[in-house]
Amino acid sequence: LRVDDAQMRRIMHNLGQHNTVLEINTSALRKGGFTLMPDVPLLTYYKEAGGTHVTLGSDAHTVKELGKDLNRAAQTADL
């Protein structure tokens, strides 16, 4: 499924307008990716729409993975 930028902007706008809590997840970094999920542009859309609440997650499946890269997610949450 491909979603274009305008669609993602509308989705993030709806989430922000309805006070939906958004999770910033770090699992992609652990799996060799280079960005958080959602990425910075999507988080920016969310914040521009009035979104203010986020949680941080790592999708840990082992104790070693627990909390990995949450500091980066917390910094990104402060955009």
Side-chain angles (χ1 to χ4, degrees):
L1 174 66
R2 290 215 169 250
V3 179
D4 67 30
D5 190 65
Q7 291 170 312
M8 286 309 301
R9 190 179 289 270
R10 283 193 302 274
I11 290 167
M12 290 296 144
H13 178 79
N14 284 331
L15 294 175
Q17 290 296 299
H18 290 95
N19 298 317
T20 303
V21 177
L22 194 66
E23 177 182 344
I24 301 174
N25 191 289
T26 65
S27 64
L29 299 174
R30 188 176 68 250
K31 296 174 184 176
F34 299 102
T35 187
L36 300 165
M37 297 183 300
D39 60 9
V40 170
L42 294 181
L43 291 170
T44 301
Y45 297 161
Y46 175 74
K47 288 191 168 199
E48 288 173 351
T52 57
H53 303 295
V54 298
T55 62
L56 308 177
S58 60
D59 273 351
H61 293 265
T62 66
V63 172
K64 183 178 176 182
E65 296 171 340
L66 187 63
K68 184 134 174 66
D69 297 310
L70 287 185
N71 58 341
R72 181 170 169 185
Q75 290 171 345
T76 302
D78 287 336
L79 287 175

Coordinates of all heavy atoms in Angstrom, one line a residue:
L1 N 0.8 -1.2 0.0 CA 0.0 0.0 0.0 C 0.9 1.2 0.0 O 1.8 1.4 0.8 CB -0.9 0.0 1.2 CG -1.8 1.2 1.5 CD1 -2.8 1.4 0.4 CD2 -2.4 1.1 2.8
R2 N 0.7 2.1 -0.9 CA 1.4 3.4 -1.0 C 0.5 4.5 -0.7 O -0.6 4.6 -1.2 CB 2.0 3.6 -2.4 CG 3.1 2.6 -2.7 CD 4.2 3.3 -3.5 NE 5.3 2.5 -3.6 CZ 6.5 2.8 -3.0 NH1 6.6 3.9 -2.3 NH2 7.5 2.0 -3.1
V3 N 0.9 5.4 0.2 CA 0.2 6.5 0.5 C 1.0 7.8 0.2 O 2.2 7.9 0.6 CB -0.1 6.5 2.1 CG1 -0.9 7.7 2.5 CG2 -0.9 5.2 2.4
D4 N 0.4 8.7 -0.5 CA 1.2 9.9 -0.9 C 1.2 10.9 0.2 O 0.6 10.8 1.2 CB 0.7 10.5 -2.2 CG -0.7 11.1 -2.1 OD1 -1.1 11.6 -1.1 OD2 -1.4 11.1 -3.2
D5 N 2.1 11.9 0.0 CA 2.3 12.9 1.0 C 1.0 13.6 1.4 O 0.8 13.8 2.6 CB 3.3 13.9 0.5 CG 3.8 14.9 1.6 OD1 4.4 14.4 2.6 OD2 3.5 16.1 1.5
A6 N 0.2 14.0 0.5 CA -1.1 14.7 0.8 C -2.0 13.8 1.7 O -2.6 14.3 2.6 CB -1.8 15.1 -0.4
Q7 N -2.0 12.5 1.4 CA -2.8 11.6 2.2 C -2.3 11.5 3.6 O -3.0 11.5 4.6 CB -2.9 10.2 1.6 CG -3.7 10.2 0.3 CD -3.5 8.8 -0.4 OE1 -2.4 8.4 -0.6 NE2 -4.6 8.3 -0.8
M8 N -1.0 11.4 3.8 CA -0.3 11.3 5.1 C -0.6 12.6 5.9 O -0.8 12.5 7.1 CB 1.2 11.0 5.0 CG 1.4 9.5 4.6 SD 0.6 8.3 5.6 CE 1.1 8.6 7.2
R9 N -0.5 13.7 5.2 CA -0.8 15.0 5.9 C -2.2 15.0 6.4 O -2.4 15.4 7.6 CB -0.5 16.1 4.9 CG -0.5 17.5 5.6 CD -0.3 18.6 4.6 NE 1.1 18.6 4.1 CZ 2.1 19.3 4.7 NH1 1.9 20.0 5.7 NH2 3.3 19.3 4.2
R10 N -3.2 14.5 5.6 CA -4.6 14.4 6.1 C -4.7 13.5 7.3 O -5.4 13.8 8.2 CB -5.5 14.0 5.0 CG -5.8 15.2 4.0 CD -6.9 14.8 3.0 NE -6.7 13.6 2.3 CZ -6.1 13.6 1.1 NH1 -5.5 14.6 0.6 NH2 -6.0 12.4 0.4
I11 N -4.1 12.4 7.2 CA -4.1 11.4 8.3 C -3.6 12.0 9.6 O -4.2 11.9 10.6 CB -3.4 10.1 7.9 CG1 -4.1 9.3 6.8 CG2 -3.2 9.2 9.1 CD1 -3.3 8.2 6.2
M12 N -2.4 12.6 9.5 CA -1.8 13.2 10.7 C -2.6 14.4 11.2 O -2.7 14.6 12.4 CB -0.4 13.6 10.4 CG 0.6 12.5 10.2 SD 0.8 11.5 11.7 CE 1.0 9.9 11.0
H13 N -3.2 15.1 10.3 CA -4.1 16.2 10.7 C -5.3 15.6 11.5 O -5.6 16.2 12.6 CB -4.6 16.9 9.5 CG -5.6 18.0 9.8 ND1 -5.2 19.3 10.3 CD2 -7.0 18.1 9.8 CE1 -6.2 20.0 10.5 NE2 -7.3 19.3 10.2
N14 N -5.9 14.6 11.0 CA -7.0 14.0 11.8 C -6.6 13.4 13.1 O -7.3 13.6 14.1 CB -7.7 12.8 10.9 CG -8.5 13.4 9.8 OD1 -9.1 14.4 9.9 ND2 -8.6 12.6 8.8
L15 N -5.4 12.8 13.2 CA -4.9 12.3 14.5 C -4.7 13.5 15.4 O -5.1 13.4 16.6 CB -3.7 11.5 14.3 CG -3.8 10.2 13.5 CD1 -2.4 9.6 13.3 CD2 -4.7 9.2 14.2
G16 N -4.1 14.5 14.9 CA -3.8 15.7 15.8 C -5.1 16.4 16.3 O -5.2 16.8 17.4
Q17 N -6.0 16.5 15.4 CA -7.3 17.2 15.7 C -8.2 16.4 16.7 O -9.0 17.0 17.4 CB -8.1 17.4 14.4 CG -7.5 18.5 13.5 CD -7.5 19.9 14.2 OE1 -8.5 20.4 14.6 NE2 -6.3 20.4 14.4
H18 N -8.0 15.1 16.7 CA -8.8 14.2 17.6 C -8.0 13.8 18.9 O -8.4 12.8 19.5 CB -9.3 13.0 16.9 CG -10.3 13.4 15.9 ND1 -10.0 13.6 14.5 CD2 -11.7 13.6 16.0 CE1 -11.1 14.0 13.9 NE2 -12.1 14.0 14.7
N19 N -6.9 14.5 19.2 CA -6.1 14.2 20.4 C -5.7 12.8 20.5 O -5.6 12.2 21.6 CB -6.9 14.6 21.6 CG -7.2 16.1 21.7 OD1 -6.3 16.9 21.3 ND2 -8.4 16.5 22.0
T20 N -5.4 12.2 19.3 CA -4.9 10.8 19.3 C -3.4 10.8 19.8 O -2.6 11.6 19.3 CB -5.0 10.2 17.9 OG1 -6.4 10.3 17.5 CG2 -4.5 8.8 17.8
V21 N -3.1 9.9 20.6 CA -1.7 9.7 21.1 C -1.0 8.9 20.0 O -1.4 7.8 19.6 CB -1.7 8.9 22.5 CG1 -0.3 8.7 22.9 CG2 -2.5 9.7 23.5
L22 N 0.2 9.4 19.6 CA 1.0 8.8 18.6 C 2.2 8.1 19.2 O 2.8 8.7 20.1 CB 1.4 9.9 17.6 CG 2.0 9.5 16.3 CD1 0.9 8.8 15.4 CD2 2.5 10.7 15.5
E23 N 2.5 6.9 18.8 CA 3.7 6.3 19.3 C 4.9 6.5 18.3 O 4.8 6.4 17.1 CB 3.5 4.7 19.3 CG 4.8 4.0 19.8 CD 4.7 2.5 19.8 OE1 3.6 2.0 19.8 OE2 5.7 1.9 19.9
I24 N 6.0 6.9 18.9 CA 7.2 7.0 18.2 C 8.0 5.8 18.5 O 8.3 5.5 19.6 CB 8.1 8.3 18.6 CG1 7.2 9.6 18.4 CG2 9.4 8.3 17.9 CD1 7.9 10.8 18.9
N25 N 8.2 4.9 17.5 CA 8.8 3.6 17.7 C 10.2 3.5 17.1 O 10.4 4.0 16.0 CB 7.9 2.6 17.0 CG 8.2 1.2 17.3 OD1 9.2 0.7 16.9 ND2 7.4 0.6 18.1
T26 N 11.1 2.9 17.8 CA 12.5 2.8 17.4 C 12.9 1.5 16.8 O 14.1 1.4 16.4 CB 13.4 3.1 18.7 OG1 13.2 2.0 19.6 CG2 13.1 4.4 19.3
S27 N 12.0 0.6 16.6 CA 12.4 -0.7 16.1 C 13.0 -0.7 14.8 O 13.9 -1.6 14.5 CB 11.2 -1.7 16.1 OG 10.2 -1.2 15.2
A28 N 12.7 0.2 13.9 CA 13.3 0.2 12.6 C 14.8 0.5 12.7 O 15.6 0.0 11.9 CB 12.7 1.3 11.7
L29 N 15.2 1.3 13.7 CA 16.7 1.6 13.9 C 17.4 0.3 14.3 O 18.5 0.1 13.8 CB 16.8 2.7 15.0 CG 16.2 4.0 14.7 CD1 16.4 4.9 15.9 CD2 16.8 4.7 13.5
R30 N 16.8 -0.5 15.1 CA 17.4 -1.7 15.6 C 17.5 -2.7 14.4 O 18.4 -3.6 14.4 CB 16.6 -2.3 16.7 CG 17.2 -3.4 17.4 CD 16.4 -3.9 18.6 NE 15.1 -4.5 18.2 CZ 13.9 -4.0 18.4 NH1 13.8 -2.8 19.0 NH2 12.8 -4.6 18.0
K31 N 16.7 -2.6 13.5 CA 16.6 -3.6 12.4 C 17.4 -3.1 11.1 O 17.2 -3.6 10.0 CB 15.2 -3.9 12.0 CG 14.4 -4.5 13.1 CD 12.9 -4.7 12.8 CE 12.2 -5.3 14.0 NZ 10.8 -5.4 13.7
G32 N 18.2 -2.0 11.3 CA 19.1 -1.5 10.2 C 18.5 -0.3 9.5 O 19.1 0.1 8.5
G33 N 17.4 0.2 9.9 CA 16.8 1.4 9.3 C 17.5 2.6 9.7 O 18.3 2.6 10.7
F34 N 17.1 3.7 9.2 CA 17.8 5.0 9.5 C 16.8 6.0 10.1 O 17.2 7.1 10.4 CB 18.4 5.6 8.3 CG 19.5 4.7 7.7 CD1 19.2 3.9 6.5 CD2 20.7 4.6 8.2 CE1 20.2 3.1 6.0 CE2 21.7 3.8 7.7 CZ 21.4 3.0 6.6
T35 N 15.6 5.6 10.3 CA 14.6 6.6 10.8 C 13.7 6.0 11.8 O 13.5 4.7 11.9 CB 13.8 7.2 9.7 OG1 13.0 8.3 10.2 CG2 13.0 6.2 9.0
L36 N 13.1 6.8 12.6 CA 12.1 6.4 13.6 C 10.8 6.2 12.8 O 10.6 6.6 11.6 CB 11.8 7.5 14.6 CG 13.0 7.8 15.5 CD1 12.8 9.1 16.2 CD2 13.3 6.7 16.4
M37 N 9.8 5.5 13.4 CA 8.5 5.4 12.8 C 7.5 6.0 13.8 O 7.4 5.6 14.9 CB 8.2 3.9 12.6 CG 9.1 3.2 11.6 SD 8.7 1.5 11.3 CE 8.7 0.7 12.9
P38 N 6.7 7.0 13.4 CA 6.8 7.6 12.1 C 8.0 8.5 12.0 O 8.6 8.9 13.0 CB 5.5 8.5 12.1 CG 5.2 8.7 13.5 CD 5.6 7.5 14.3
D39 N 8.4 8.9 10.8 CA 9.6 9.7 10.6 C 9.3 11.2 10.9 O 8.2 11.6 11.2 CB 10.1 9.5 9.2 CG 9.1 9.9 8.1 OD1 8.1 10.5 8.4 OD2 9.4 9.6 6.9
V40 N 10.3 12.0 10.8 CA 10.3 13.4 11.2 C 9.2 14.1 10.4 O 8.4 14.9 11.0 CB 11.7 14.0 11.1 CG1 11.5 15.6 11.3 CG2 12.6 13.5 12.2
P41 N 9.1 14.0 9.1 CA 8.1 14.7 8.4 C 6.7 14.4 8.9 O 5.8 15.3 9.0 CB 8.3 14.3 6.9 CG 9.7 13.9 6.8 CD 10.0 13.3 8.1
L42 N 6.4 13.1 9.2 CA 5.1 12.8 9.7 C 4.8 13.3 11.1 O 3.7 13.8 11.4 CB 4.9 11.3 9.6 CG 4.8 10.6 8.3 CD1 4.6 9.1 8.4 CD2 3.8 11.3 7.4
L43 N 5.8 13.3 11.9 CA 5.7 13.9 13.2 C 5.5 15.4 13.1 O 4.7 16.0 13.9 CB 6.9 13.6 14.1 CG 7.1 12.1 14.5 CD1 8.5 12.0 15.1 CD2 6.1 11.7 15.4
T44 N 6.1 16.0 12.2 CA 5.9 17.5 12.0 C 4.5 17.7 11.6 O 3.8 18.7 12.1 CB 6.9 18.0 10.9 OG1 8.2 17.7 11.4 CG2 6.7 19.5 10.7
Y45 N 3.9 17.0 10.6 CA 2.5 17.1 10.2 C 1.6 17.0 11.4 O 0.7 17.8 11.6 CB 2.1 16.1 9.2 CG 2.8 16.1 7.9 CD1 2.8 15.0 7.1 CD2 3.5 17.2 7.4 CE1 3.4 15.0 5.8 CE2 4.2 17.3 6.2 CZ 4.1 16.1 5.4 OH 4.8 16.2 4.2
Y46 N 1.9 16.0 12.3 CA 1.1 15.7 13.5 C 1.1 16.9 14.4 O 0.1 17.4 14.9 CB 1.6 14.5 14.2 CG 1.0 14.1 15.5 CD1 -0.3 13.6 15.5 CD2 1.7 14.3 16.7 CE1 -0.9 13.3 16.8 CE2 1.1 14.0 17.9 CZ -0.2 13.5 17.9 OH -0.7 13.2 19.1
K47 N 2.3 17.5 14.7 CA 2.4 18.6 15.5 C 1.8 19.9 14.9 O 1.1 20.7 15.6 CB 3.9 18.9 15.9 CG 4.4 17.8 16.8 CD 5.8 18.2 17.4 CE 6.1 17.3 18.5 NZ 7.1 17.9 19.4
E48 N 1.9 20.1 13.6 CA 1.3 21.2 13.0 C -0.2 21.2 13.1 O -0.9 22.2 13.1 CB 1.7 21.3 11.5 CG 3.1 21.7 11.3 CD 3.6 21.5 9.8 OE1 2.8 21.0 9.0 OE2 4.7 22.0 9.5
A49 N -0.8 20.0 13.2 CA -2.2 19.8 13.3 C -2.7 19.9 14.7 O -3.9 19.7 15.0 CB -2.6 18.4 12.7
G50 N -1.8 20.2 15.6 CA -2.2 20.3 17.0 C -1.9 19.1 17.9 O -2.3 19.1 19.1
G51 N -1.4 18.1 17.3 CA -1.0 16.9 18.1 C 0.0 17.2 19.1 O 1.0 17.8 18.9
T52 N -0.2 16.7 20.4 CA 0.7 17.0 21.5 C 1.1 15.8 22.3 O 2.0 15.9 23.1 CB 0.0 18.1 22.4 OG1 -1.2 17.5 22.9 CG2 -0.2 19.4 21.7
H53 N 0.4 14.7 22.1 CA 0.7 13.5 22.9 C 1.4 12.4 22.2 O 0.9 12.0 21.1 CB -0.6 13.0 23.6 CG -1.3 14.0 24.3 ND1 -0.9 14.6 25.5 CD2 -2.5 14.6 24.1 CE1 -1.7 15.5 26.0 NE2 -2.7 15.5 25.1
V54 N 2.5 12.0 22.7 CA 3.2 10.9 22.1 C 3.7 9.9 23.2 O 3.8 10.3 24.3 CB 4.5 11.3 21.2 CG1 4.1 12.2 20.1 CG2 5.5 11.9 22.1
T55 N 3.8 8.6 22.8 CA 4.4 7.6 23.6 C 5.7 7.2 22.9 O 5.8 7.4 21.7 CB 3.5 6.4 23.9 OG1 3.2 5.8 22.7 CG2 2.3 6.9 24.6
L56 N 6.6 6.6 23.6 CA 7.8 6.1 23.0 C 7.8 4.5 23.2 O 7.5 4.0 24.2 CB 9.0 6.7 23.7 CG 9.1 8.2 23.8 CD1 10.3 8.6 24.6 CD2 9.0 8.8 22.4
G57 N 8.2 3.9 22.1 CA 8.3 2.4 22.1 C 9.5 1.9 21.4 O 10.0 2.5 20.4
S58 N 9.9 0.7 21.8 CA 11.0 0.0 21.1 C 10.7 -1.3 20.5 O 11.5 -2.0 19.9 CB 12.2 -0.1 22.1 OG 11.8 -0.9 23.2
D59 N 9.5 -1.8 20.7 CA 9.0 -3.1 20.3 C 10.0 -4.2 20.7 O 10.4 -5.1 19.9 CB 8.9 -3.2 18.7 CG 7.5 -2.8 18.3 OD1 6.6 -2.6 19.1 OD2 7.3 -2.6 17.1
A60 N 10.5 -4.1 21.9 CA 11.5 -5.0 22.4 C 10.9 -6.4 22.6 O 9.8 -6.6 23.0 CB 12.0 -4.6 23.8
H61 N 11.7 -7.4 22.2 CA 11.4 -8.8 22.4 C 12.4 -9.5 23.3 O 12.2 -10.7 23.6 CB 11.3 -9.5 21.0 CG 10.2 -9.0 20.2 ND1 8.9 -9.6 20.1 CD2 10.1 -7.9 19.4 CE1 8.1 -9.0 19.3 NE2 8.8 -7.9 18.8
T62 N 13.4 -8.8 23.7 CA 14.4 -9.3 24.6 C 14.8 -8.2 25.6 O 14.6 -7.0 25.3 CB 15.7 -9.8 23.9 OG1 16.4 -8.6 23.3 CG2 15.4 -10.8 22.8
V63 N 15.3 -8.5 26.7 CA 15.7 -7.5 27.7 C 16.8 -6.6 27.1 O 16.8 -5.4 27.3 CB 16.2 -8.2 29.0 CG1 16.8 -7.2 29.9 CG2 15.1 -9.0 29.7
K64 N 17.7 -7.2 26.3 CA 18.7 -6.4 25.7 C 18.2 -5.3 24.8 O 18.8 -4.2 24.6 CB 19.6 -7.3 24.8 CG 20.8 -6.6 24.2 CD 21.7 -7.6 23.5 CE 22.8 -6.9 22.8 NZ 23.6 -7.9 22.0
E65 N 17.0 -5.5 24.1 CA 16.4 -4.5 23.2 C 15.6 -3.5 23.9 O 15.2 -2.5 23.4 CB 15.6 -5.3 22.2 CG 16.3 -6.2 21.3 CD 15.4 -7.0 20.4 OE1 14.2 -7.2 20.8 OE2 15.8 -7.6 19.4
L66 N 15.2 -3.8 25.2 CA 14.3 -2.9 25.9 C 14.8 -1.5 26.0 O 15.9 -1.3 26.5 CB 14.1 -3.5 27.3 CG 13.0 -2.8 28.2 CD1 11.6 -3.0 27.5 CD2 13.0 -3.5 29.5
G67 N 14.1 -0.6 25.5 CA 14.4 0.9 25.6 C 15.5 1.3 24.6 O 15.9 2.5 24.7
K68 N 15.9 0.5 23.7 CA 17.0 0.8 22.8 C 16.5 2.0 21.9 O 15.4 2.1 21.4 CB 17.3 -0.4 21.9 CG 18.4 -0.1 20.9 CD 19.4 -1.3 20.9 CE 20.5 -1.1 19.9 NZ 21.4 -0.1 20.1
D69 N 17.4 3.0 21.9 CA 17.2 4.2 21.1 C 16.1 5.1 21.5 O 15.6 6.0 20.8 CB 17.0 3.9 19.6 CG 18.2 3.2 19.0 OD1 19.3 3.8 19.2 OD2 18.1 2.2 18.3
L70 N 15.5 4.9 22.7 CA 14.5 5.8 23.2 C 14.9 7.2 23.4 O 14.1 8.1 23.3 CB 13.8 5.2 24.5 CG 13.0 4.0 24.3 CD1 12.3 3.6 25.6 CD2 11.9 4.2 23.3
N71 N 16.2 7.4 23.7 CA 16.7 8.8 23.9 C 16.6 9.5 22.6 O 16.2 10.7 22.6 CB 18.2 8.8 24.3 CG 19.1 8.0 23.4 OD1 18.7 7.2 22.6 ND2 20.4 8.3 23.6
R72 N 16.8 8.9 21.4 CA 16.7 9.5 20.1 C 15.2 9.8 19.9 O 14.8 10.9 19.4 CB 17.2 8.6 19.0 CG 17.1 9.3 17.7 CD 17.8 8.5 16.6 NE 17.5 8.9 15.3 CZ 17.9 8.4 14.2 NH1 18.7 7.3 14.2 NH2 17.5 8.8 13.0
A73 N 14.3 8.9 20.3 CA 12.9 9.1 20.1 C 12.4 10.3 21.0 O 11.6 11.1 20.5 CB 12.1 7.9 20.4
A74 N 12.9 10.4 22.2 CA 12.5 11.5 23.1 C 13.0 12.8 22.5 O 12.3 13.8 22.6 CB 13.1 11.3 24.5
Q75 N 14.2 12.9 22.0 CA 14.7 14.1 21.4 C 13.8 14.5 20.2 O 13.5 15.7 20.0 CB 16.2 14.0 20.9 CG 17.1 13.9 22.1 CD 18.5 13.5 21.7 OE1 18.8 13.1 20.6 NE2 19.5 13.7 22.6
T76 N 13.5 13.5 19.4 CA 12.6 13.8 18.2 C 11.2 14.3 18.6 O 10.7 15.1 17.9 CB 12.5 12.5 17.3 OG1 13.9 12.2 16.9 CG2 11.7 12.8 16.1
A77 N 10.7 13.8 19.7 CA 9.4 14.2 20.2 C 9.4 15.7 20.5 O 8.3 16.3 20.5 CB 9.0 13.3 21.4
D78 N 10.5 16.2 20.8 CA 10.6 17.7 21.1 C 10.7 18.6 19.9 O 11.1 19.7 20.1 CB 11.8 17.9 22.1 CG 11.5 17.4 23.5 OD1 10.3 17.2 23.9 OD2 12.5 17.1 24.2
L79 N 10.5 18.1 18.7 CA 10.6 18.9 17.5 C 10.1 20.3 17.7 O 9.0 20.5 18.2 CB 9.9 18.3 16.3 CG 10.6 17.0 15.8 CD1 9.7 16.4 14.7 CD2 11.9 17.4 15.1

